[in-house]
Amino acid sequence: MQTIIEPFRIKSVEPIRLTTRAERDQLIAEAGFNPFKLRADDVTIDLLTDSGTSAMSANQWGALMRGDESYAGAKSWYRFRDTVREIFGFEHVVPTHQGRAAERILFSLTVKPGQIVPNNTHFDTTRANIESQGGVAVDLPCAASADPNTPAPFKGDMDLDALAALLEAHGPAQIPLVMITVTNNSAGGQPVSLANIEAAADLAHAHGVPFYVDACRFAENAWLIKQREPGCADLSVREIVRRMLAKADGCTMSAKKDAFANIGGFLCTRDPVLAQQERDLLILTEGYPTYGGLAGRDLEAIAVGLQEVLDPDYLAYRTTSIGYVVDRLHALGVPVVRPAGGHAIYLDAKAMLPHIEPLAYPGQALCVALYQEAGIRGVEIGTVMFGYDPHTDSERPAKWELVRLAVPRRVYTQSHMDYVIEAVNAVYARRHEIRGLKIVSAPKFLRHFTAAFDWR
Ligand code: F0G
């Protein structure tokens, strides 16, 4: 069969409240033209994030009842730890309440003021956790990532020449670790090739520097390697995951993505001394080392989800449904980042709305238009998110003006995706009418979450 179906049936449904255009115009104005400030109930299709928004399976819900809530050494902990060990291949597993807690623990033990941490592209919490230690987070995306329209297979790759030059110039005294993010969320959700991961690890190790993977979307990345990388088609997803991590000294993970959990994360290492230091820190703020801020039932849900996400039928459906939206939009002439990545559709607001200058926030204007048109909630990744420098109190255009439509896992069906395509196309057709915005109020840090806007 040519038709790729959702490989699940629906046992429990959540109603979507439908709104009128007039209601949405009023609601978004009341929210200061910032979709973060809408009530979720006022959103028809919520594509704000794929994080913590997955639908759990019947097996996951069943496993919740098995949750052992003993404070220390619960059965759920051992099931969780053994699953992570089996899939990821690391000896030491430290549970955390979500990905950024793993980042905070890792970087507070490894990064000293002035030290540099390179990454293909740091996610914003990764960057913030490095910077809060006084470190310098450096992005080294590959050249192909700069053009949203080049359909190169691995636009998430790291620029290896730039990494080699950085390692040569600064060495292990100044670079406590090298990190690579799979898939590269902040650069269009694009995958990283196995060859690139292995070469980056080899380069780091040749300079005596540890190598880490931000593994949030490890299964989607592995699947895209299987589809796109020469020589990998016959490897199983599990084998690819093991190879992605085989040369790594550790990883951070948000179980809110590729573990189908609504909360959770972990930190892994092969180093017993570092693992002990991590557990010592964990006890201070997260919890005892066998639960790390999670309930026993959360550990169960993650253990089941990590196995389920490796199902090739699921991964084929997941990447096909994202690719379907990207290809249809491209065929309609809508500027969209290509090729499709693993978890989101990225609209190119700069190309779509050239009449809106960067400091009038074309990405934000597009988000507002999508909500008004059809109740779709996406997120701006552009000058609102990255354009303000709190140290100099000044603003400058960001590199990209994108709108991310992140697709929650196993939540929406093909007809929801068709609705999204129709809505984006309708907004595209009236793009010349869309106006720029100005900021009315905003905090100094992470302003995109709470800023209020008005029309220019
Ligand atoms: N690393 C990457 C690549 C991420 O995308 C995220 C979260 C994190 C780390 C932090 O994990 O949320 O569990 O603390 N990304 C979400 C998003 C929030 O919408 O892309 P967390």
Side-chain angles (χ1 to χ4, degrees):
M1 289 294 293
Q2 293 294 306
T3 311
I4 302 214
I5 59 168
E6 289 87 5
F8 47 80
R9 351 181 248 191
I10 296 165
K11 189 185 288 269
S12 176
V13 297
E14 256 185 293
I16 293 175
R17 193 174 80 79
L18 300 177
T19 50
T20 63
R21 169 71 198 244
E23 281 173 316
R24 291 193 294 271
D25 286 352
Q26 191 187 336
L27 289 163
I28 195 72
E30 284 167 9
F33 299 98
N34 186 345
F36 273 105
K37 302 211 279 190
L38 290 166
R39 296 171 76 113
D41 196 38
D42 294 333
V43 176
T44 309
I45 307 282
D46 203 345
L47 306 179
L48 192 60
T49 180
D50 63 322
S51 180
T53 51
S54 296
M56 292 213 294
S57 66
N59 277 335
Q60 283 178 296
W61 284 110
L64 293 195
M65 281 309 293
R66 217 170 48 186
D68 175 355
E69 306 301 343
S70 305
Y71 191 89
K75 288 197 286 288
S76 303
W77 152 249
Y78 289 105
R79 257 193 291 274
F80 167 87
R81 185 201 64 180
D82 293 348
T83 306
V84 175
R85 275 186 180 166
E86 179 215 324
I87 295 171
F88 289 70
F90 296 108
E91 170 71 12
H92 304 286
V93 181
V94 176
T96 60
H97 81 276
Q98 61 184 85
R100 64 199 70 183
E103 293 166 357
R104 190 188 61 79
I105 291 170
L106 175 65
F107 297 132
S108 40
L109 289 166
T110 52
V111 176
K112 296 192 179 56
Q115 287 188 323
I116 302 164
V117 180
N119 202 323
N120 46 352
T121 313
H122 291 275
F123 181 66
D124 48 10
T125 59
T126 322
R127 169 177 291 279
N129 273 299
I130 291 165
E131 289 174 351
S132 81
Q133 298 299 322
V136 183
V138 174
D139 291 336
L140 304 175
C142 68
S145 73
D147 178 2
N149 253 315
T150 326
F154 290 107
K155 288 163 79 172
D157 279 357
M158 192 176 226
D159 181 337
L160 296 172
D161 291 338
L163 177 63
L166 198 76
L167 286 161
E168 202 60 52
H170 299 282
Q174 274 302 90
I175 303 183
L177 59 103
V178 170
M179 199 164 203
I180 209 159
T181 304
V182 299
T183 55
N184 193 347
N185 183 19
S186 305
Q190 299 290 318
V192 186
S193 67
L194 196 50
N196 191 261
I197 297 171
E198 290 179 341
D202 288 344
L203 270 172
H205 290 157
H207 287 83
V209 174
F211 177 74
Y212 271 71
V213 176
D214 175 338
C216 295
R217 299 180 179 85
F218 72 100
E220 288 165 2
N221 198 85
W223 181 256
L224 292 170
I225 286 175
K226 188 173 164 69
Q227 303 308 303
R228 296 181 189 173
E229 190 157 351
C232 293
D234 295 331
L235 298 174
S236 71
V237 181
R238 277 174 197 276
E239 280 169 321
I240 296 173
V241 169
R242 282 305 271 266
R243 283 184 54 181
M244 278 163 46
L245 296 164
K247 293 191 177 203
D249 297 279
C251 76
T252 55
M253 172 72 189
S254 166
K256 300 173 74 172
K257 283 83 172 176
D258 269 354
F260 296 127
N262 302 123
I263 196 70
F266 52 87
L267 173 59
C268 293
T269 172
R270 302 186 198 283
D271 177 346
V273 178
L274 181 62
Q276 192 50 50
Q277 293 169 338
E278 289 169 356
R279 288 187 197 106
D280 293 346
L281 211 49
L282 188 78
I283 292 185
L284 277 183
T285 55
E286 291 278 306
Y288 190 74
T290 64
Y291 74 85
L294 295 169
R297 55 179 173 271
D298 298 327
L299 296 169
E300 293 281 354
I302 296 167
V304 175
L306 285 172
Q307 299 287 1
E308 288 180 351
V309 79
L310 299 173
D311 174 9
D313 293 338
Y314 161 74
L315 287 167
Y317 136 78
R318 170 80 174 155
T319 51
T320 305
S321 72
I322 309 266
Y324 169 78
V325 180
V326 168
D327 292 346
R328 290 287 299 276
L329 290 176
H330 178 64
L332 290 164
V334 177
V336 56
V337 175
R338 287 190 310 135
H343 70 293
I345 298 112
Y346 291 75
L347 304 175
D348 185 350
K350 197 190 277 185
M352 200 193 259
L353 305 172
H355 59 286
I356 303 181
E357 51 146 334
L359 295 186
Y361 316 123
Q364 191 72 21
L366 182 53
C367 284
V368 169
L370 279 170
Y371 178 74
Q372 289 174 318
E373 185 70 36
I376 294 167
R377 175 154 73 168
V379 67
E380 190 255 17
I381 303 189
T383 299
V384 176
M385 197 180 264
F386 296 120
Y388 178 68
D389 182 350
H391 305 295
T392 57
D393 187 27
S394 62
E395 235 186 346
R396 62 190 167 93
K399 194 160 135 198
W400 288 299
E401 302 293 344
L402 302 177
V403 168
R404 185 185 77 168
L405 304 176
V407 185
R409 294 170 182 78
R410 304 192 295 207
V411 170
Y412 293 116
T413 63
Q414 166 97 23
S415 69
H416 293 117
M417 292 299 110
D418 285 331
Y419 177 91
V420 170
I421 293 165
E422 185 184 336
V424 174
N425 196 35
V427 167
Y428 183 61
R430 61 170 179 86
R431 62 192 178 279
H432 305 293
E433 296 162 20
I434 297 173
R435 290 159 60 194
L437 293 160
K438 61 181 179 204
I439 287 185
V440 179
S441 68
K444 275 195 155 228
F445 296 97
L446 297 172
R447 65 178 183 172
H448 55 287
F449 290 120
T450 53
F453 300 82
D454 205 346
W455 301 117
R456 284 207 158 221

